Short mmCIF file of all heavy atoms in Angstrom, two decimals:
data_model
loop_
_atom_site.label_atom_id
_atom_site.label_comp_id
_atom_site.label_asym_id
_atom_site.label_seq_id
_atom_site.Cartn_x
_atom_site.Cartn_y
_atom_site.Cartn_z
N MET A 1 54.45 175.49 41.31
CA MET A 1 55.34 174.45 41.66
C MET A 1 55.99 173.88 40.37
O MET A 1 56.01 172.72 40.11
CB MET A 1 54.55 173.30 42.36
CG MET A 1 53.90 173.73 43.64
SD MET A 1 53.04 172.54 44.58
CE MET A 1 52.21 171.64 43.39
N ILE A 2 56.56 174.87 39.67
CA ILE A 2 57.21 174.56 38.45
C ILE A 2 58.39 173.60 38.71
O ILE A 2 59.13 173.83 39.71
CB ILE A 2 57.63 175.80 37.77
CG1 ILE A 2 56.41 176.66 37.55
CG2 ILE A 2 58.44 175.54 36.50
CD1 ILE A 2 56.71 177.98 36.95
N PHE A 3 58.65 172.71 37.83
CA PHE A 3 59.75 171.76 37.90
C PHE A 3 59.73 170.80 39.16
O PHE A 3 60.82 170.36 39.57
CB PHE A 3 61.08 172.50 37.75
CG PHE A 3 61.22 173.33 36.56
CD1 PHE A 3 61.30 174.75 36.65
CD2 PHE A 3 61.26 172.77 35.33
CE1 PHE A 3 61.43 175.53 35.52
CE2 PHE A 3 61.38 173.57 34.13
CZ PHE A 3 61.40 174.93 34.28
N SER A 4 58.58 170.65 39.73
CA SER A 4 58.50 169.73 40.84
C SER A 4 57.82 168.45 40.31
O SER A 4 57.15 168.42 39.25
CB SER A 4 57.64 170.35 41.97
OG SER A 4 56.30 170.50 41.60
N ASN A 5 58.12 167.38 41.06
CA ASN A 5 57.45 166.10 40.72
C ASN A 5 56.64 165.65 42.01
O ASN A 5 56.70 166.36 42.96
CB ASN A 5 58.47 165.03 40.28
CG ASN A 5 59.53 164.85 41.29
OD1 ASN A 5 59.27 164.72 42.47
ND2 ASN A 5 60.86 164.76 40.90
N THR A 6 55.94 164.56 41.82
CA THR A 6 55.10 164.09 42.92
C THR A 6 55.90 163.82 44.13
O THR A 6 55.42 163.98 45.30
CB THR A 6 54.27 162.85 42.49
OG1 THR A 6 55.15 161.85 42.03
CG2 THR A 6 53.24 163.22 41.51
N GLU A 7 57.10 163.25 43.96
CA GLU A 7 58.00 163.02 45.15
C GLU A 7 58.35 164.37 45.85
O GLU A 7 58.34 164.37 47.14
CB GLU A 7 59.32 162.30 44.70
CG GLU A 7 59.13 160.87 44.34
CD GLU A 7 60.37 160.22 43.85
OE1 GLU A 7 61.45 160.73 44.19
OE2 GLU A 7 60.32 159.22 43.15
N ASP A 8 58.66 165.38 45.17
CA ASP A 8 58.94 166.71 45.74
C ASP A 8 57.83 167.17 46.52
O ASP A 8 57.88 167.61 47.67
CB ASP A 8 59.27 167.78 44.68
CG ASP A 8 60.57 167.56 44.02
OD1 ASP A 8 61.51 167.02 44.65
OD2 ASP A 8 60.72 167.96 42.83
N VAL A 9 56.60 167.09 45.94
CA VAL A 9 55.37 167.58 46.61
C VAL A 9 55.16 166.78 47.92
O VAL A 9 54.86 167.29 48.97
CB VAL A 9 54.16 167.51 45.67
CG1 VAL A 9 52.84 167.92 46.46
CG2 VAL A 9 54.42 168.43 44.49
N SER A 10 55.16 165.44 47.78
CA SER A 10 54.95 164.60 48.97
C SER A 10 55.93 164.85 50.11
O SER A 10 55.57 165.00 51.26
CB SER A 10 55.00 163.15 48.57
OG SER A 10 54.03 162.75 47.70
N ARG A 11 57.17 165.04 49.77
CA ARG A 11 58.23 165.34 50.74
C ARG A 11 58.04 166.67 51.36
O ARG A 11 58.10 166.85 52.59
CB ARG A 11 59.58 165.29 50.06
CG ARG A 11 60.74 165.36 51.07
CD ARG A 11 62.08 165.14 50.30
NE ARG A 11 62.12 165.74 48.97
CZ ARG A 11 62.31 167.00 48.71
NH1 ARG A 11 62.33 167.85 49.71
NH2 ARG A 11 62.30 167.48 47.49
N CYS A 12 57.66 167.66 50.57
CA CYS A 12 57.38 169.03 51.11
C CYS A 12 56.17 169.08 52.00
O CYS A 12 56.11 169.75 53.02
CB CYS A 12 57.19 170.03 49.88
SG CYS A 12 58.83 170.34 49.04
N VAL A 13 55.09 168.27 51.70
CA VAL A 13 53.97 168.25 52.47
C VAL A 13 54.30 167.71 53.89
O VAL A 13 53.87 168.22 54.85
CB VAL A 13 52.84 167.33 51.85
CG1 VAL A 13 51.78 166.94 52.87
CG2 VAL A 13 52.22 168.01 50.67
N ILE A 14 55.20 166.75 53.95
CA ILE A 14 55.65 166.20 55.20
C ILE A 14 56.36 167.26 56.06
O ILE A 14 56.16 167.40 57.25
CB ILE A 14 56.50 164.93 55.03
CG1 ILE A 14 55.64 163.80 54.51
CG2 ILE A 14 57.21 164.53 56.30
CD1 ILE A 14 56.34 162.61 53.97
N ILE A 15 57.24 167.97 55.35
CA ILE A 15 58.02 169.04 56.04
C ILE A 15 57.11 170.15 56.61
O ILE A 15 57.22 170.55 57.72
CB ILE A 15 59.06 169.67 55.03
CG1 ILE A 15 60.11 168.62 54.68
CG2 ILE A 15 59.76 170.87 55.65
CD1 ILE A 15 61.03 169.03 53.50
N VAL A 16 56.13 170.52 55.79
CA VAL A 16 55.22 171.57 56.21
C VAL A 16 54.38 171.03 57.32
O VAL A 16 54.17 171.73 58.40
CB VAL A 16 54.26 172.05 55.04
CG1 VAL A 16 53.16 172.98 55.60
CG2 VAL A 16 55.15 172.69 53.95
N ARG A 17 53.85 169.80 57.31
CA ARG A 17 53.07 169.18 58.33
C ARG A 17 53.81 169.16 59.64
O ARG A 17 53.36 169.54 60.74
CB ARG A 17 52.58 167.82 57.93
CG ARG A 17 51.80 167.12 59.14
CD ARG A 17 51.40 165.71 58.80
NE ARG A 17 50.35 165.74 57.78
CZ ARG A 17 50.46 165.05 56.63
NH1 ARG A 17 51.47 164.29 56.33
NH2 ARG A 17 49.42 165.14 55.83
N ASN A 18 55.07 168.73 59.57
CA ASN A 18 55.87 168.65 60.78
C ASN A 18 56.10 169.95 61.41
O ASN A 18 56.10 170.10 62.64
CB ASN A 18 57.25 167.93 60.45
CG ASN A 18 56.98 166.46 60.21
OD1 ASN A 18 56.06 165.84 60.60
ND2 ASN A 18 57.93 165.85 59.52
N GLU A 19 56.37 170.97 60.62
CA GLU A 19 56.60 172.34 61.27
C GLU A 19 55.31 172.84 61.82
O GLU A 19 55.34 173.47 62.89
CB GLU A 19 57.11 173.31 60.13
CG GLU A 19 57.42 174.71 60.65
CD GLU A 19 58.61 174.65 61.59
OE1 GLU A 19 59.46 173.79 61.51
OE2 GLU A 19 58.61 175.55 62.48
N LEU A 20 54.22 172.60 61.23
CA LEU A 20 52.92 173.03 61.82
C LEU A 20 52.66 172.33 63.11
O LEU A 20 52.18 172.96 64.05
CB LEU A 20 51.74 172.88 60.82
CG LEU A 20 51.75 173.71 59.50
CD1 LEU A 20 50.62 173.27 58.60
CD2 LEU A 20 51.72 175.20 59.82
N ILE A 21 52.96 171.08 63.07
CA ILE A 21 52.73 170.22 64.37
C ILE A 21 53.61 170.86 65.49
O ILE A 21 53.17 170.97 66.64
CB ILE A 21 53.08 168.76 64.13
CG1 ILE A 21 51.91 168.15 63.34
CG2 ILE A 21 53.20 168.06 65.48
CD1 ILE A 21 52.26 166.76 62.79
N LYS A 22 54.85 171.18 65.23
CA LYS A 22 55.74 171.75 66.20
C LYS A 22 55.14 173.08 66.81
O LYS A 22 55.36 173.39 67.94
CB LYS A 22 57.07 172.15 65.56
CG LYS A 22 57.97 171.08 65.27
CD LYS A 22 59.26 171.60 64.76
CE LYS A 22 60.03 170.59 63.90
NZ LYS A 22 61.24 171.23 63.23
N ARG A 23 54.35 173.77 66.00
CA ARG A 23 53.82 175.04 66.38
C ARG A 23 52.29 174.92 66.88
O ARG A 23 51.63 175.94 66.99
CB ARG A 23 53.96 176.05 65.32
CG ARG A 23 55.42 176.36 65.02
CD ARG A 23 55.63 177.11 63.74
NE ARG A 23 56.98 177.29 63.51
CZ ARG A 23 57.71 178.38 63.87
NH1 ARG A 23 57.10 179.34 64.56
NH2 ARG A 23 58.92 178.49 63.48
N ASN A 24 51.89 173.67 67.08
CA ASN A 24 50.52 173.36 67.48
C ASN A 24 49.46 173.97 66.50
O ASN A 24 48.46 174.45 67.01
CB ASN A 24 50.27 173.86 68.92
CG ASN A 24 51.10 173.13 69.94
OD1 ASN A 24 51.27 171.89 69.79
ND2 ASN A 24 51.68 173.74 70.86
N ILE A 25 49.74 173.92 65.24
CA ILE A 25 48.78 174.34 64.26
C ILE A 25 48.23 173.19 63.50
O ILE A 25 48.98 172.36 62.99
CB ILE A 25 49.44 175.30 63.21
CG1 ILE A 25 50.05 176.58 63.93
CG2 ILE A 25 48.51 175.72 62.14
CD1 ILE A 25 50.88 177.46 63.06
N SER A 26 46.88 173.06 63.61
CA SER A 26 46.24 171.90 62.99
C SER A 26 45.42 172.30 61.82
O SER A 26 44.64 173.28 61.88
CB SER A 26 45.40 171.23 64.01
OG SER A 26 44.68 170.13 63.37
N VAL A 27 45.68 171.70 60.61
CA VAL A 27 44.87 172.04 59.43
C VAL A 27 44.52 170.71 58.75
O VAL A 27 45.15 169.68 58.95
CB VAL A 27 45.67 172.92 58.41
CG1 VAL A 27 46.01 174.23 59.00
CG2 VAL A 27 46.92 172.26 57.99
N ASN A 28 43.46 170.77 57.94
CA ASN A 28 43.07 169.57 57.20
C ASN A 28 44.02 169.39 56.04
O ASN A 28 44.79 170.25 55.68
CB ASN A 28 41.58 169.65 56.82
CG ASN A 28 41.28 170.75 55.81
OD1 ASN A 28 42.07 171.04 54.91
ND2 ASN A 28 40.08 171.38 55.94
N ASP A 29 43.91 168.22 55.36
CA ASP A 29 44.82 167.98 54.25
C ASP A 29 44.69 168.89 53.10
O ASP A 29 45.69 169.19 52.47
CB ASP A 29 44.53 166.51 53.73
CG ASP A 29 45.11 165.46 54.71
OD1 ASP A 29 45.91 165.79 55.51
OD2 ASP A 29 44.63 164.20 54.58
N ASN A 30 43.56 169.40 52.82
CA ASN A 30 43.30 170.36 51.69
C ASN A 30 44.09 171.64 52.01
O ASN A 30 44.79 172.12 51.10
CB ASN A 30 41.78 170.66 51.50
CG ASN A 30 41.51 171.51 50.33
OD1 ASN A 30 42.17 171.37 49.31
ND2 ASN A 30 40.55 172.45 50.48
N ILE A 31 43.98 172.19 53.17
CA ILE A 31 44.64 173.43 53.55
C ILE A 31 46.17 173.14 53.58
O ILE A 31 46.97 173.94 53.14
CB ILE A 31 44.19 173.93 54.97
CG1 ILE A 31 42.71 174.24 54.91
CG2 ILE A 31 45.04 175.10 55.41
CD1 ILE A 31 42.37 175.38 53.92
N LEU A 32 46.60 171.95 54.09
CA LEU A 32 48.02 171.62 54.12
C LEU A 32 48.62 171.65 52.70
O LEU A 32 49.67 172.18 52.50
CB LEU A 32 48.18 170.24 54.77
CG LEU A 32 49.59 169.71 54.81
CD1 LEU A 32 50.51 170.60 55.62
CD2 LEU A 32 49.63 168.28 55.34
N LYS A 33 47.86 171.08 51.78
CA LYS A 33 48.39 171.06 50.37
C LYS A 33 48.39 172.55 49.76
O LYS A 33 49.37 172.83 49.04
CB LYS A 33 47.45 170.19 49.52
CG LYS A 33 47.63 168.74 49.80
CD LYS A 33 46.67 167.84 49.04
CE LYS A 33 46.79 166.38 49.41
NZ LYS A 33 45.78 165.53 48.82
N LYS A 34 47.45 173.31 50.13
CA LYS A 34 47.47 174.75 49.68
C LYS A 34 48.70 175.49 50.25
O LYS A 34 49.38 176.23 49.47
CB LYS A 34 46.16 175.45 50.00
CG LYS A 34 45.02 175.01 49.17
CD LYS A 34 43.78 175.77 49.61
CE LYS A 34 42.59 175.26 48.77
NZ LYS A 34 41.35 175.96 49.16
N MET A 35 48.98 175.29 51.53
CA MET A 35 50.08 175.93 52.17
C MET A 35 51.39 175.48 51.55
O MET A 35 52.31 176.23 51.26
CB MET A 35 50.10 175.62 53.67
CG MET A 35 49.05 176.32 54.41
SD MET A 35 49.20 175.79 56.16
CE MET A 35 48.59 177.20 56.96
N THR A 36 51.46 174.15 51.25
CA THR A 36 52.67 173.52 50.72
C THR A 36 52.87 174.14 49.32
O THR A 36 54.02 174.47 48.97
CB THR A 36 52.53 172.05 50.66
OG1 THR A 36 52.37 171.59 51.97
CG2 THR A 36 53.78 171.42 50.01
N LYS A 37 51.80 174.30 48.54
CA LYS A 37 51.93 174.81 47.18
C LYS A 37 52.42 176.30 47.29
O LYS A 37 53.39 176.69 46.56
CB LYS A 37 50.55 174.80 46.47
CG LYS A 37 50.60 175.33 45.17
CD LYS A 37 49.20 175.30 44.47
CE LYS A 37 49.29 175.92 43.05
NZ LYS A 37 47.96 175.96 42.44
N ASP A 38 51.94 177.09 48.22
CA ASP A 38 52.39 178.42 48.41
C ASP A 38 53.89 178.46 48.75
O ASP A 38 54.65 179.19 48.10
CB ASP A 38 51.70 179.10 49.61
CG ASP A 38 50.33 179.63 49.29
OD1 ASP A 38 49.87 179.62 48.14
OD2 ASP A 38 49.62 180.08 50.23
N ILE A 39 54.27 177.59 49.58
CA ILE A 39 55.74 177.56 50.10
C ILE A 39 56.66 177.13 48.93
O ILE A 39 57.71 177.71 48.68
CB ILE A 39 55.85 176.67 51.31
CG1 ILE A 39 55.14 177.41 52.51
CG2 ILE A 39 57.28 176.45 51.62
CD1 ILE A 39 54.82 176.53 53.63
N MET A 40 56.21 176.15 48.16
CA MET A 40 56.96 175.72 47.06
C MET A 40 57.06 176.84 45.96
O MET A 40 58.18 177.01 45.40
CB MET A 40 56.44 174.39 46.46
CG MET A 40 56.57 173.21 47.42
SD MET A 40 55.90 171.69 46.74
CE MET A 40 57.18 171.31 45.59
N ASN A 41 56.06 177.51 45.76
CA ASN A 41 56.02 178.63 44.80
C ASN A 41 56.95 179.78 45.28
O ASN A 41 57.63 180.31 44.48
CB ASN A 41 54.62 179.12 44.50
CG ASN A 41 53.84 178.18 43.71
OD1 ASN A 41 54.37 177.46 42.86
ND2 ASN A 41 52.49 178.23 43.78
N ILE A 42 56.95 180.02 46.54
CA ILE A 42 57.81 181.04 47.10
C ILE A 42 59.23 180.64 46.95
O ILE A 42 60.09 181.40 46.49
CB ILE A 42 57.52 181.32 48.60
CG1 ILE A 42 56.11 181.98 48.75
CG2 ILE A 42 58.63 182.16 49.23
CD1 ILE A 42 55.56 182.00 50.12
N SER A 43 59.58 179.44 47.27
CA SER A 43 60.86 178.84 47.12
C SER A 43 61.38 179.00 45.68
O SER A 43 62.49 179.46 45.43
CB SER A 43 60.93 177.42 47.54
OG SER A 43 62.27 176.87 47.38
N TYR A 44 60.55 178.58 44.75
CA TYR A 44 60.92 178.70 43.34
C TYR A 44 61.16 180.13 42.95
O TYR A 44 62.10 180.44 42.25
CB TYR A 44 59.85 178.02 42.44
CG TYR A 44 60.18 178.12 40.99
CD1 TYR A 44 61.08 177.24 40.47
CD2 TYR A 44 59.59 179.11 40.19
CE1 TYR A 44 61.42 177.36 39.10
CE2 TYR A 44 59.96 179.14 38.80
CZ TYR A 44 60.87 178.26 38.28
OH TYR A 44 61.21 178.41 36.98
N SER A 45 60.23 180.94 43.31
CA SER A 45 60.33 182.45 42.94
C SER A 45 61.59 183.11 43.54
O SER A 45 62.07 184.10 42.92
CB SER A 45 59.05 183.18 43.32
OG SER A 45 58.99 183.39 44.65
N LYS A 46 62.07 182.61 44.58
CA LYS A 46 63.30 183.20 45.29
C LYS A 46 64.54 182.64 44.78
O LYS A 46 65.59 182.88 45.27
CB LYS A 46 63.13 183.07 46.79
CG LYS A 46 62.04 183.87 47.37
CD LYS A 46 62.28 185.35 47.33
CE LYS A 46 61.21 186.02 48.08
NZ LYS A 46 61.38 187.49 48.10
N GLY A 47 64.41 181.67 43.83
CA GLY A 47 65.57 181.02 43.21
C GLY A 47 66.02 179.77 44.02
O GLY A 47 67.13 179.28 43.77
N GLY A 48 65.22 179.41 44.96
CA GLY A 48 65.57 178.19 45.71
C GLY A 48 65.13 176.95 45.05
O GLY A 48 64.39 176.99 44.05
N ASP A 49 65.42 175.77 45.62
CA ASP A 49 64.92 174.54 45.15
C ASP A 49 63.97 173.97 46.16
O ASP A 49 63.45 174.65 46.97
CB ASP A 49 66.14 173.60 44.79
CG ASP A 49 66.95 173.32 45.95
OD1 ASP A 49 66.56 173.55 47.12
OD2 ASP A 49 68.06 172.86 45.81
N TYR A 50 63.72 172.66 46.00
CA TYR A 50 62.80 172.03 46.88
C TYR A 50 63.52 171.07 47.84
O TYR A 50 62.93 170.11 48.37
CB TYR A 50 61.71 171.31 46.08
CG TYR A 50 60.99 172.15 45.11
CD1 TYR A 50 60.93 171.83 43.73
CD2 TYR A 50 60.31 173.37 45.51
CE1 TYR A 50 60.24 172.60 42.86
CE2 TYR A 50 59.70 174.14 44.60
CZ TYR A 50 59.65 173.78 43.26
OH TYR A 50 58.93 174.55 42.37
N SER A 51 64.76 171.40 48.19
CA SER A 51 65.50 170.50 49.08
C SER A 51 64.87 170.71 50.51
O SER A 51 64.23 171.70 50.79
CB SER A 51 67.00 170.89 49.08
OG SER A 51 67.09 172.22 49.71
N ASP A 52 65.07 169.71 51.34
CA ASP A 52 64.54 169.73 52.65
C ASP A 52 64.99 170.97 53.42
O ASP A 52 64.05 171.61 54.12
CB ASP A 52 65.00 168.45 53.48
CG ASP A 52 64.49 167.14 52.96
OD1 ASP A 52 63.66 167.18 52.03
OD2 ASP A 52 64.84 166.14 53.50
N GLU A 53 66.21 171.39 53.35
CA GLU A 53 66.70 172.52 54.07
C GLU A 53 66.06 173.87 53.62
O GLU A 53 65.62 174.70 54.39
CB GLU A 53 68.22 172.60 53.96
CG GLU A 53 68.96 171.51 54.57
CD GLU A 53 69.01 170.27 53.68
OE1 GLU A 53 68.75 170.32 52.47
OE2 GLU A 53 69.29 169.16 54.23
N ILE A 54 65.93 173.92 52.33
CA ILE A 54 65.38 175.21 51.71
C ILE A 54 63.84 175.23 52.07
O ILE A 54 63.42 176.32 52.61
CB ILE A 54 65.54 175.29 50.20
CG1 ILE A 54 67.01 175.31 49.83
CG2 ILE A 54 64.75 176.38 49.57
CD1 ILE A 54 67.75 176.57 50.28
N VAL A 55 63.16 174.16 51.91
CA VAL A 55 61.70 174.19 52.22
C VAL A 55 61.50 174.47 53.72
O VAL A 55 60.64 175.23 54.09
CB VAL A 55 61.07 172.92 51.79
CG1 VAL A 55 59.60 172.75 52.29
CG2 VAL A 55 61.11 172.73 50.21
N GLN A 56 62.30 173.80 54.54
CA GLN A 56 62.16 174.04 56.01
C GLN A 56 62.37 175.48 56.35
O GLN A 56 61.63 176.02 57.12
CB GLN A 56 63.21 173.19 56.73
CG GLN A 56 63.19 173.21 58.27
CD GLN A 56 61.89 172.61 58.82
OE1 GLN A 56 61.46 171.63 58.35
NE2 GLN A 56 61.37 173.24 59.85
N SER A 57 63.33 176.10 55.75
CA SER A 57 63.59 177.51 55.98
C SER A 57 62.39 178.40 55.58
O SER A 57 61.98 179.33 56.29
CB SER A 57 64.83 177.95 55.25
OG SER A 57 65.03 179.36 55.31
N PHE A 58 61.81 178.14 54.44
CA PHE A 58 60.67 178.89 53.93
C PHE A 58 59.43 178.63 54.81
O PHE A 58 58.65 179.43 55.00
CB PHE A 58 60.45 178.68 52.47
CG PHE A 58 61.32 179.44 51.53
CD1 PHE A 58 62.27 178.83 50.80
CD2 PHE A 58 61.21 180.83 51.51
CE1 PHE A 58 63.07 179.55 49.93
CE2 PHE A 58 62.03 181.59 50.66
CZ PHE A 58 62.99 180.88 49.92
N VAL A 59 59.28 177.41 55.25
CA VAL A 59 58.13 177.10 56.14
C VAL A 59 58.23 177.93 57.47
O VAL A 59 57.19 178.52 57.84
CB VAL A 59 58.05 175.56 56.41
CG1 VAL A 59 56.97 175.28 57.51
CG2 VAL A 59 57.82 174.72 55.19
N LYS A 60 59.35 177.92 58.01
CA LYS A 60 59.52 178.69 59.28
C LYS A 60 59.15 180.17 59.05
O LYS A 60 58.42 180.71 59.87
CB LYS A 60 60.96 178.58 59.79
CG LYS A 60 61.25 177.19 60.36
CD LYS A 60 62.69 177.13 60.89
CE LYS A 60 62.92 175.73 61.50
NZ LYS A 60 64.33 175.74 62.04
N THR A 61 59.65 180.72 57.99
CA THR A 61 59.38 182.15 57.77
C THR A 61 57.90 182.29 57.46
O THR A 61 57.26 183.28 57.92
CB THR A 61 60.21 182.63 56.60
OG1 THR A 61 61.62 182.55 56.90
CG2 THR A 61 59.92 184.12 56.24
N TYR A 62 57.34 181.43 56.61
CA TYR A 62 55.88 181.44 56.25
C TYR A 62 55.08 181.54 57.49
O TYR A 62 54.12 182.32 57.55
CB TYR A 62 55.57 180.21 55.41
CG TYR A 62 54.26 180.17 54.72
CD1 TYR A 62 54.00 180.81 53.55
CD2 TYR A 62 53.23 179.45 55.38
CE1 TYR A 62 52.77 180.70 52.98
CE2 TYR A 62 51.95 179.41 54.77
CZ TYR A 62 51.78 179.95 53.52
OH TYR A 62 50.53 179.92 52.93
N VAL A 63 55.37 180.67 58.49
CA VAL A 63 54.57 180.60 59.73
C VAL A 63 54.84 181.86 60.59
O VAL A 63 53.94 182.51 61.10
CB VAL A 63 54.77 179.33 60.45
CG1 VAL A 63 54.05 179.36 61.83
CG2 VAL A 63 54.31 178.14 59.64
N GLU A 64 56.12 182.14 60.81
CA GLU A 64 56.53 183.20 61.67
C GLU A 64 56.04 184.61 61.20
O GLU A 64 55.61 185.44 62.05
CB GLU A 64 58.04 183.36 61.83
CG GLU A 64 58.58 182.13 62.65
CD GLU A 64 60.11 182.05 62.61
OE1 GLU A 64 60.73 182.92 61.93
OE2 GLU A 64 60.60 181.12 63.28
N GLU A 65 55.98 184.77 59.84
CA GLU A 65 55.50 186.00 59.40
C GLU A 65 53.94 186.06 59.21
O GLU A 65 53.40 187.07 58.80
CB GLU A 65 56.11 186.30 57.98
CG GLU A 65 57.65 186.51 58.07
CD GLU A 65 58.05 187.76 58.94
OE1 GLU A 65 57.27 188.74 58.83
OE2 GLU A 65 58.99 187.67 59.68
N GLY A 66 53.29 184.96 59.53
CA GLY A 66 51.82 185.00 59.48
C GLY A 66 51.17 184.81 58.19
O GLY A 66 49.95 184.94 58.09
N PHE A 67 51.98 184.31 57.22
CA PHE A 67 51.34 184.13 55.93
C PHE A 67 50.29 183.01 55.97
O PHE A 67 49.36 182.90 55.07
CB PHE A 67 52.40 183.79 54.86
CG PHE A 67 53.38 184.90 54.61
CD1 PHE A 67 54.71 184.77 54.76
CD2 PHE A 67 52.89 186.16 54.23
CE1 PHE A 67 55.63 185.76 54.57
CE2 PHE A 67 53.82 187.26 54.03
CZ PHE A 67 55.21 187.05 54.20
N CYS A 68 50.43 182.10 56.84
CA CYS A 68 49.51 180.91 56.94
C CYS A 68 48.12 181.38 57.57
O CYS A 68 47.15 180.67 57.44
CB CYS A 68 50.08 179.88 57.87
SG CYS A 68 50.38 180.33 59.52
N LYS A 69 48.08 182.58 58.11
CA LYS A 69 46.80 183.03 58.75
C LYS A 69 45.69 183.09 57.77
O LYS A 69 44.48 182.93 58.17
CB LYS A 69 46.99 184.40 59.41
CG LYS A 69 47.84 184.31 60.63
CD LYS A 69 48.03 185.66 61.31
CE LYS A 69 48.91 185.53 62.51
NZ LYS A 69 49.09 186.82 63.13
N LYS A 70 45.93 183.30 56.52
CA LYS A 70 44.81 183.40 55.56
C LYS A 70 44.11 181.98 55.38
O LYS A 70 42.99 182.01 54.96
CB LYS A 70 45.33 183.81 54.15
CG LYS A 70 46.20 182.83 53.43
CD LYS A 70 46.70 183.42 52.11
CE LYS A 70 47.72 182.49 51.41
NZ LYS A 70 48.18 183.15 50.14
N TYR A 71 44.74 180.98 55.80
CA TYR A 71 44.14 179.63 55.80
C TYR A 71 43.54 179.21 57.19
O TYR A 71 42.90 178.24 57.25
CB TYR A 71 45.11 178.60 55.36
CG TYR A 71 45.59 178.81 53.91
CD1 TYR A 71 46.92 179.12 53.66
CD2 TYR A 71 44.72 178.65 52.92
CE1 TYR A 71 47.36 179.32 52.36
CE2 TYR A 71 45.21 178.82 51.59
CZ TYR A 71 46.48 179.12 51.35
OH TYR A 71 46.91 179.35 50.04
N LEU A 72 43.89 179.97 58.25
CA LEU A 72 43.49 179.54 59.52
C LEU A 72 42.19 180.18 59.99
O LEU A 72 41.77 179.95 61.11
CB LEU A 72 44.63 179.85 60.51
CG LEU A 72 45.93 179.16 60.23
CD1 LEU A 72 46.98 179.56 61.20
CD2 LEU A 72 45.81 177.62 60.13
N GLY A 73 41.57 180.96 59.14
CA GLY A 73 40.30 181.54 59.45
C GLY A 73 40.42 182.78 60.26
O GLY A 73 39.96 183.46 60.88
#
């Protein structure tokens, strides 16, 4: 999560949580933070930023492609 600040992280956690809720996926706060960190790192590595739209796009792909399964047991 290079070049992020606490506001970025907090905002991204909310975006990730909301997307998971839409998909009826329930995780604890620890797992939610790990998923958010993954998504923010993916965004950064792909040249994206942490804007709502970019994070939302990466969250959708993250869930649709099953990357979250490693946290879901």
Side-chain angles (χ1 to χ4, degrees):
M1 299 183 318
I2 299 174
F3 303 114
S4 68
N5 58 42
T6 55
E7 288 179 21
D8 289 330
V9 175
S10 297
R11 188 175 36 75
C12 290
V13 164
I14 292 168
I15 294 168
V16 173
R17 177 183 290 126
N18 289 339
E19 186 64 30
L20 294 176
I21 289 170
K22 285 183 205 175
R23 296 168 182 269
N24 294 318
I25 299 172
S26 178
V27 297
N28 64 38
D29 287 342
N30 186 39
I31 298 299
L32 177 63
K33 289 176 185 174
K34 288 180 181 180
M35 289 177 151
T36 301
K37 181 180 177 183
D38 281 354
I39 292 162
M40 291 178 77
N41 285 334
I42 292 167
S43 178
Y44 179 78
S45 72
K46 296 290 186 179
D49 59 16
Y50 305 125
S51 69
D52 292 359
E53 296 81 18
I54 297 294
V55 172
Q56 182 69 36
S57 174
F58 280 113
V59 173
K60 286 181 180 181
T61 301
Y62 188 85
V63 173
E64 289 170 0
E65 296 297 322
F67 297 122
C68 62
K69 289 181 181 178
K70 67 182 177 183
Y71 295 113
L72 302 178

